[in-house]
């Protein structure tokens, strides 16, 4: 199991979002349920449009979650088949995602990380897109890209050309070789949803280099700065400069002293809880989890 997939499941279980987190993890483990049938070149465009109908927050991860949950909510076999046909979804792959999700949930229960009776809790977490984005930061870090917003920081214009593909999203990523340019793969929701470009960062699952040498990112989710500060790498606070950096400082933010202290305090509590649960999964930290989860949700809501 990929370490990032495992971390997503563990973070979800620790912070009351085991159900949606394991769904996303299972979807990333399986092949994409969006399947383009063989046919004319225009079929790929139809698949992309059908995917956009299920899109959530410019995020490939949340779109996968929505596609699976929408399909699972349909009880009739005939209606499920019609739903799959309408959205170019593979029912076989969705079944595989469900089976993989059950396996991941069973693994969490076996190590004492998943509690029973979480239906209401899972439903609340599913509705909390900001929390799920934050968990994705924790799982995918350091796979983070800086989004270069269009001129003026505004989404692409709408009007007569609204149906035309928006201009390519320009990104910067950093790896062991340094900082470089990247772009989103055309299949990414974010590549076509200009409204989601209010975010200046995104996390991604994979980076591939094409034959021309261009780097293309897949499985992207736009994320706010607070998600990076709470769930990204190690924080470094330069009080004199009024800056909080993450890891080597490539990602950094200017914060007021009060805001910096609050974020650093919550981050210490979060790191302590995750460390305790990692070392003793069956330890009773329910009260601490509830208090911390409410604090994290309030901070994320403030940073929308």
């Amino acid at each position: 199991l990929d370490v990032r997939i495992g971390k997503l499941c563990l973070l979800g279980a620790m912070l009351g979002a085991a159900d949606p987190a394991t769904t996303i993890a299972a979807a990333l483990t399986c092949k994409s349920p969006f399947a383009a049938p063989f046919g004319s070149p225009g079929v790929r465009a139809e698949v992309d449009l059908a995917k956009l109908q299920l899109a959530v927050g410019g995020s490939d991860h949340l779109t996968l979650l929505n596609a699976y949950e929408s399909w699972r909510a349909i009880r009739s076999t005939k209606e499920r088949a019609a739903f799959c046909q309408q959205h170019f979804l593979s029912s076989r792959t969705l079944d595989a995602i469900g089976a993989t999700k059950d396996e991941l949930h069973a693994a969490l229960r076996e190590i004492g990380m998943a509690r029973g009776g979480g239906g209401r809790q899972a439903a609340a977490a599913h509705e909390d897109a900001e929390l799920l984005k934050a968990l994705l930061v924790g799982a995918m870090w350091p796979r983070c890209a800086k989004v270069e917003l269009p001129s003026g920081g505004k989404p692409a214009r709408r009007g007569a050309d609204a149906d035309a593909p928006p201009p390519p999203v320009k990104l910067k990523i950093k790896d062991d070789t340094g900082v470089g340019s990247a772009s989103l793969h055309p299949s990414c929701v974010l590549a076509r949803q200009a409204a989601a470009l209010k975010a200046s960062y995104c996390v991604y699952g994979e980076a591939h280099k094409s034959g021309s040498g261009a780097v293309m990112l897949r499985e992207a989710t736009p994320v706010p700065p607070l998600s990076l500060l709470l769930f990204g790498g190690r924080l470094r606070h330069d009080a004199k400069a009024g800056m909080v950096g993450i890891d080597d400082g490539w990602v950094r933010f200017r914060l007021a002293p009060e805001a910096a202290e609050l974020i650093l305090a919550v981050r210490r509590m979060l790191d302590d809880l995750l460390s305790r649960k990692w070392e003793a999964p069956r330890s009773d930290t329910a009260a601490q989890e509830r208090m911390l989860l409410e604090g994290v949700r309030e901070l994320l809501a403030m940073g929308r």
Side-chain angles (χ1 to χ4, degrees):
L1 184 68
D2 184 279
V3 63
R4 292 176 176 84
I5 300 298
K7 193 172 181 181
L8 177 59
C9 294
L10 291 171
L11 285 171
M14 291 176 188
L15 293 172
D19 190 80
T22 51
T23 299
I24 295 172
L28 295 177
T29 302
C30 302
K31 66 181 182 180
S32 173
F34 292 96
F38 292 105
S40 64
V43 172
R44 181 70 257 175
E46 290 183 45
V47 174
D48 289 340
L49 284 174
K51 186 176 182 180
L52 286 177
Q53 292 174 2
L54 295 170
V56 176
S59 164
D60 292 310
H61 302 95
L62 298 184
T63 298
L64 286 170
L65 173 63
N66 187 39
Y68 176 80
E69 294 291 355
S70 298
W71 169 81
R72 190 181 67 167
I74 301 171
R75 298 304 178 190
S76 163
T77 302
K78 184 177 180 180
E79 290 178 1
R80 276 190 173 186
F83 178 81
C84 288
Q85 184 175 13
Q86 178 185 355
H87 295 286
F88 293 91
L89 289 164
S90 166
S91 59
R92 182 174 297 180
T93 302
L94 290 168
D95 279 328
I97 291 173
T100 303
K101 173 183 176 174
D102 290 342
E103 292 174 4
L104 294 173
H105 239 297
L108 289 174
R109 286 195 301 271
E110 187 174 336
I111 63 172
M113 292 292 292
R115 295 185 294 272
R120 184 178 303 174
Q121 183 184 51
H126 180 187
E127 295 168 2
D128 194 344
E130 297 306 315
L131 176 61
L132 293 175
K133 287 180 180 181
L135 298 184
L136 284 165
V137 170
M140 301 299 168
W141 186 267
R143 294 184 180 181
C144 173
K146 292 183 179 180
V147 180
E148 296 184 351
L149 295 172
S151 178
K154 297 179 181 179
R157 291 175 59 189
R158 307 184 73 85
D161 297 329
D163 293 332
V169 178
K170 296 180 180 180
L171 305 167
K172 292 291 185 182
I173 60 173
K174 186 179 183 192
D175 56 22
D176 294 338
T177 63
V179 178
S181 298
S183 57
L184 293 169
H185 189 274
S187 65
C188 289
V189 170
L190 189 56
R192 294 186 62 90
Q193 282 201 333
L197 291 181
K198 292 180 290 185
S200 52
Y201 295 89
C202 71
V203 290
Y204 61 92
E206 298 178 357
H208 296 286
K209 188 171 288 189
S210 66
S212 64
V215 177
M216 305 284 284
L217 307 184
R218 289 178 178 267
E219 298 160 0
T221 289
V223 295
L226 267 173
S227 292
L228 299 174
L229 288 166
L230 292 177
F231 288 87
R234 186 183 299 275
L235 298 185
R236 299 180 184 275
H237 184 205
D238 185 341
K240 186 175 181 180
M243 303 291 292
V244 175
I246 305 177
D247 288 341
D248 63 0
W250 183 62
V251 175
R252 59 182 180 173
F253 305 97
R254 185 175 299 279
L255 297 172
E258 299 81 3
E261 289 302 324
L262 175 60
I263 289 171
L264 290 168
V266 174
R267 180 61 188 266
R268 283 192 293 268
M269 292 170 60
L270 183 60
D271 289 345
D272 177 64
L273 173 63
L274 297 181
S275 177
R276 288 174 58 192
K277 291 296 286 186
W278 190 274
E279 295 172 0
R282 297 182 186 277
S283 60
D284 185 8
T285 58
Q288 185 181 1
E289 288 176 33
R290 283 194 299 271
M291 290 179 60
L292 184 57
L293 180 57
E294 288 306 313
V296 168
R297 279 189 169 141
E298 287 182 18
L299 277 174
L300 293 173
M302 290 167 55
R304 284 178 183 173

